[in-house]
């Protein structure tokens, strides 16, 4: 297949006057090429099957742009992450999480009045329906908080019928605000339930991150004031996880939403996907790995295991489908990690020297260099979250909380697209061809 000049078709993005030619069975087919504002051009194959009878084959979507989006851009080779054009480092250094939420949802950073209005709207939705408390008690006492999240977030659609009509933009906006506002409350309730403590109601005089720490760590019998250093770190962690383009959970949300499912159900599907160890579960796995390694002396043995093709062990928190350079979020997370550990006096955490030495050794090792395997955000986030006081079972819950805004913004972008259709991939079928039914007595 070749790409050449020449204007083609109606492009969803900027038409860059290019097309490509595909030669199949001695026939040439012209395929339009579209150009985004940055990033690789895309070849439009939507008419390929109709025109040629061929499907494309791309399991794992390594070469497929599944949608057009204006939200987030990643350059994996450069280690660049932009939200609506703003580098993640600048958002994390200068702004707060609610600003990033506004940016992702509405396209621009809010001015002072818009920020106050947005903050007020989110804050007024922080409580959950009182009946939801009973929903929690239906779970086994030792239920994993992610299992609770999948169930409770999906169940929001049973409590908030008045914001499930996806054809009504006002209802969609209310559902969005509700999820951003209630996710910390639900996450904190899942945590409290798992440790047998009473639920703590939100405090609307606190900022988003401080309120979350309050709901997680205060108890009715004692006074609690969130530490501003820890609240700032928490807020920073939320910003770093807010959105990440078309990853597995976001694609799950989009696919679920493409059928017209309500937003609460779609976000619940995203949470289920995020739970997997190759995705959101990696920070938990990374911390467990650091604990298992135990000391700097044992690192060479684990690096050897990670390189051994016959051993399924991988260095958790290393490698990324898109980043073939440092994950820019990992750099900020490493800084965050040192600050939190110092603030809580946990700078003696034995996992930290192991992490730092492992990072250094792996970055110099030919195997990791050749494959462009760098630390990802999860490498340091586990140590940081533990220092903040969270058990490992809560790590993915915190990721889900922060990613909710990204999922919603992506979902909204999709349903607002007038050309949106249900997502329906095809397959390369390699099972048996058509054959007649064999009666049981005739089967071998
Ligand atoms: N340790 C050792 N080897 C690795 C690792 C690792 N962490 N990651 C990739 N490799 C090797 C693979 O064995 C493969 O080697 P080969 O070419 O000799 O066969 C090569 O690097 C490419 O690996 P793939 O699995 O093809 O890469 P892919 O893009 O599919 O996987 C993934 C990306 C899933 C993140 C992978 O790097 C991994 O499993 N990392 C550990 C889990 C992790 O940290 N996940 C967090 C992702 S970030 C997030 O969700 C926020």
């Amino acid at each position: 297949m070749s790409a050449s000049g020449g204007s083609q078709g109606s492009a969803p993005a900027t038409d860059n006057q290019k097309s490509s030619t595909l030669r199949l069975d001695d026939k040439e087919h012209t395929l339009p090429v579209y150009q985004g504002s940055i990033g690789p051009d895309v070849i439009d194959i939507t008419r390929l099957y109709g025109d040629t009878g061929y499907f494309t084959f791309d399991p794992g979507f390594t070469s497929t742009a599944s949608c057009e989006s204006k939200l987030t851009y990643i350059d994996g080779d450069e280690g660049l992450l932009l939200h609506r054009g703003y580098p993640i480092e600048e958002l994390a250094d200068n702004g707060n999480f609610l600003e990033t939420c506004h940016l992702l949802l509405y396209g621009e950073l809010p001015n002072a009045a818009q920020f106050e209005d947005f903050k007020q709207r989110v804050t007024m939705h922080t409580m959950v329906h009182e009946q939801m408390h009973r929903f929690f008690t239906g779970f086994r006492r030792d239920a994993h908080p992610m299992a609770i999240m999948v169930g409770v977030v999906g169940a929001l659609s049973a409590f908030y019928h008045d914001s499930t009509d996806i054809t009504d933009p006002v209802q969609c906006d209310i559902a969005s605000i509700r999820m951003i506002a209630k996710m910390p409350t639900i996450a904190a309730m899942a945590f409290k339930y798992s440790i047998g403590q009473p639920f703590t109601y939100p405090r609307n005089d606190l900022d988003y991150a401080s309120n979350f720490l309050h709901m997680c760590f205060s108890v009715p019998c004692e006074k609690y004031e969130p530490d501003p250093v820890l609240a700032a770190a928490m807020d920073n962690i939320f910003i770093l996880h807010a959105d990440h383009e078309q990853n597995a959970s976001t694609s799950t949300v989009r696919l679920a939403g493409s059928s017209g499912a309500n937003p609460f159900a779609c976000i619940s599907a995203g949470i289920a996907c995020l739970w997997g160890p190759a995705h959101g579960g990696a920070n938990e796995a990374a911390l467990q790995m650091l604990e298992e390694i135990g000391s700097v002396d044992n690192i060479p043995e684990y690096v050897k295991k990670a390189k051994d093709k016959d051993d399924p062990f991988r260095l958790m928190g290393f490698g990324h489908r898109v980043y073939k350079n440092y994950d820019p979020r990992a750099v900020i997370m490493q800084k965050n990690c040192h600050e939190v550990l110092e603030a809580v006096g946990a700078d003696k955490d034995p996992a930290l020297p192991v992490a730092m030495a492992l990072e250094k050794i792996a970055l110099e090792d030919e195997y990791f260099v050749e494959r462009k395997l760098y630390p990802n955000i999860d490498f340091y986030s586990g140590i940081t979250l533990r220092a903040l006081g969270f058990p490992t079972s809560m790590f993915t819950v915190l990721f889900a909380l922060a990613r909710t805004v990204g999922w919603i913004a992506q979902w909204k972008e999709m349903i607002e697209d007038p050309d949106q259709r249900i997502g329906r991939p095809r397959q390369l079928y390699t099972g048996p061809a058509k054959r007649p039914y064999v009666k049981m007595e005739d089967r071998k």
Side-chain angles (χ1 to χ4, degrees), residues 62 241 244 274 277-283 306-307 309 313-322 324 327 329 367-368 371 373 376-378 399 403:
T62 48
H241 288 88
H244 212 230
L274 187 74
H279 194 4
N283 52 11
K307 288 159 46 172
K309 285 282 142 235
F313 175 77
R314 282 185 168 198
L315 282 192
M316 299 313 286
F318 254 81
H320 197 276
R321 171 57 64 79
V322 180
K324 302 301 169 198
D327 177 344
R329 302 165 305 169
Y367 173 94
F368 293 90
R371 289 168 180 75
L373 299 169
N376 59 50
I377 186 172
D378 293 318
F399 190 163
R403 181 56 57 84

Side-chain angles (χ1 to χ4, degrees), residues 290-303 349-361:
L290 294 172
E291 277 172 347
E292 195 186 308
I293 296 175
S295 101
V296 173
D297 298 341
N298 298 331
I299 292 175
E301 182 198 329
Y302 281 86
V303 170
D349 186 334
L352 187 63
V354 175
M356 288 170 66
L358 177 60
E359 180 183 5
K360 190 166 181 296
I361 292 169

Side-chain angles (χ1 to χ4, degrees), residues 18-211:
K18 263 167 89 179
S19 69
S20 61
T21 309
L22 174 70
R23 185 185 293 277
L24 265 178
D25 304 329
D26 283 339
K27 264 175 104 181
E28 283 198 349
H29 303 270
T30 304
L31 301 168
V33 173
Y34 306 140
Q35 188 179 43
S37 38
I38 29 176
D41 293 355
V42 300
I43 300 166
D44 179 351
I45 53 151
T46 46
R47 291 169 57 93
L48 186 74
Y49 177 60
D51 290 350
T52 67
Y54 282 84
F55 293 146
T56 54
F57 184 60
D58 185 18
F61 302 115
T62 48
S63 299
T64 297
S66 61
C67 63
E68 183 187 342
S69 181
K70 293 182 171 56
L71 281 158
T72 293
Y73 174 75
I74 302 172
D75 185 328
D77 296 324
E78 291 294 321
L80 179 72
L81 169 61
L82 308 176
H83 292 318
R84 305 272 192 192
Y86 295 104
I88 187 68
E89 296 85 347
E90 293 186 25
L91 292 171
D93 281 351
N94 303 304
N96 60 48
F97 179 61
L98 282 187
E99 264 186 9
T100 300
C101 290
H102 188 283
L103 175 70
L104 287 168
L105 277 182
Y106 304 117
E108 293 298 339
L109 286 168
N111 62 28
Q114 287 166 334
F115 180 70
E116 276 314 307
D117 174 63
F118 183 65
K119 192 173 85 178
Q120 176 73 0
R121 283 196 294 141
V122 171
T123 307
M124 287 302 131
H125 281 287
T126 50
M127 287 207 305
V128 293
H129 195 292
E130 193 64 15
Q131 236 180 303
M132 286 198 93
H133 290 220
R134 276 191 265 143
F135 197 89
F136 276 85
T137 52
F139 286 98
R140 250 175 73 141
R141 200 209 156 295
D142 57 354
H144 193 290
M146 275 302 269
I148 298 180
M149 294 299 286
V150 174
V152 173
V153 174
L156 287 173
S157 39
F159 286 90
Y160 300 101
H161 300 283
D162 58 342
S163 53
T164 53
D165 179 358
I166 65 160
T167 62
D168 179 350
V170 176
Q171 290 200 29
C172 288
D173 194 52
I174 295 173
S176 308
I177 297 286
R178 275 187 168 143
M179 275 185 279
I180 293 167
K182 294 186 197 308
M183 207 55 88
T185 314
I186 295 170
M189 288 170 85
F191 175 48
K192 287 293 197 189
Y193 185 69
S194 70
I195 55 171
Q197 287 186 3
F199 297 137
T200 308
Y201 286 97
R203 261 179 60 187
N204 286 356
D205 62 314
L206 296 174
D207 64 72
Y208 194 85
S210 302
N211 174 48

